């Protein structure tokens, strides 16, 4: 979250810096919570695709607020491809959630215990090719779901970013296999112009006899038109807008009042640094 001309445009980006969140995404989780009371009774949580860490900050704050006197501190495990600056009380893993080695590492931290809540704000680097972006996003969500089937307690909640593309009903159908209540929610801080939304999957109830497996059978599905879901298999889930609808609009421009603040947590090893270094070495001009 840098300091740029965008400061003048994005109210949630500025509010995040003012309130000490590492990213504007914090408001998305907070606004989803306003609607779904996500953190009630939650003591152990996993934050998938967590960097730079604003959702982990929200989890730390909320789970500690909910803690009763002599209860042990909450357990929060955060995972991302990117390095993330330390956060007190958060166990961090740097890894790819689509790899079974990362999934196994997460599971090992729970030592046989189960999480109450798994959240995933994972997003691939978008290419602008919508079909491709939606496909990769869906694969990320299914990887998150696969990890979730290993570590979520029955009755637990799974929240994940979703792109509402044309194959979204297939994802809803896959989620419905594990969760009787699936809602698509759009927080106020998520731009209307973005196809991003969040699935809130409640009351984890794996099918009888389901054994979680790292082979990820969820992903072994051909997305061709021959497999389009029709009739009763076409799942439509409720859509809920979250957050104060008379509050700040993330698509609107608000004037900058006062000084622009410095970023709270600059990236540790931003991928663009490699690109800048390659550009300085004239690398791109050499590529045929
Ligand atoms: N929720 C975060 C926060 O509040 O600070 C922001 C998450 S950011 C929108 C998306 C993150 O997904 C990026 O940090 C990216 O590195 C991560 N990501 C994308 N693909 C991943 C993968 N395969 N495994 C782990 N992390 C991944």
């Amino acid at each position: 979250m840098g300091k740029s001309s965008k400061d003048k445009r994005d109210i949630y980006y500025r509010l995040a810096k003012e309130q000490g969140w590492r990213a504007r995404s914090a408001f998305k989780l907070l606004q989803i919570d306003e609607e779904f009371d996500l953190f009630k009774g939650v003591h152990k949580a996993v934050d998938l695709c967590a960097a730079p860490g604003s959702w982990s900050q929200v989890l730390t704050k909320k789970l500690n607020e909910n803690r009763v006197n002599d209860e042990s501190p909450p357990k929060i495990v955060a995972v991302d491809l990117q390095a993330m600056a330390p956060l007190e009380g958060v166990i961090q893993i740097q890894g790819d959630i689509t790899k079974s080695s990362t999934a196994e590492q997460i599971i090992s931290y729970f030592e046989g215990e189960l999480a109450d809540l798994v959240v995933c704000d994972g997003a691939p680097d978008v290419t602008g090719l919508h079909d491709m972006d939606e496909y990769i996003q869906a694969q990320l969500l299914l990887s998150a779901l696969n990890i979730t089937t290993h570590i979520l307690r029955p009755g637990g909640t799974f929240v994940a970013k979703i792109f509402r593309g044309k194959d979204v009903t297939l994802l809803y159908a896959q989620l419905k296999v594990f969760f009787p209540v699936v809602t698509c929610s759009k927080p106020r801080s998520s731009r209307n112009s973005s196809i991003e939304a969040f699935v809130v999957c409640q009351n984890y109830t794996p099918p009888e006899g389901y054994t979680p497996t790292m082979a990820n059978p969820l992903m072994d599905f051909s997305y061709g038109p021959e497999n389009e879901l029709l009739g009763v298999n076409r799942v439509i889930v409720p859509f809920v807008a979250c957050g104060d609808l008379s509050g700040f609009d993330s698509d609107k421009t608000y004037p900058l009042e006062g000084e622009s603040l410095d970023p709270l947590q600059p990236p540790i090893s931003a991928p663009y640094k490699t690109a800048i270094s390659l550009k300085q070495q004239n690398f791109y001009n050499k590529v045929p």
Side-chain angles (χ1 to χ4, degrees), residues 23 25 49-55 80-82 95-98 121-123 140:
S25 326
C49 304
S54 78
W55 280 27
D80 202 285
L81 279 175
Q82 313 284 338
D96 182 342
I97 65 157
T98 64
D121 188 24
L140 211 51

Side-chain angles (χ1 to χ4, degrees), residues 226-274:
E226 70 281 7
N227 281 329
E228 197 183 338
L229 296 183
L230 297 168
V232 287
N233 291 324
R234 198 176 141 78
V235 177
I236 298 180
V237 303
F239 183 88
V240 173
C242 314
D244 179 359
L245 297 186
S246 57
F248 289 117
D249 177 345
S250 46
D251 281 305
K252 202 174 148 188
T253 303
Y254 294 88
L256 178 64
E257 284 158 13
E259 276 293 289
S260 169
L261 299 173
D262 281 328
L264 196 84
Q265 181 56 62
I268 294 185
S269 56
Y272 62 76
K273 284 190 180 155
T274 314

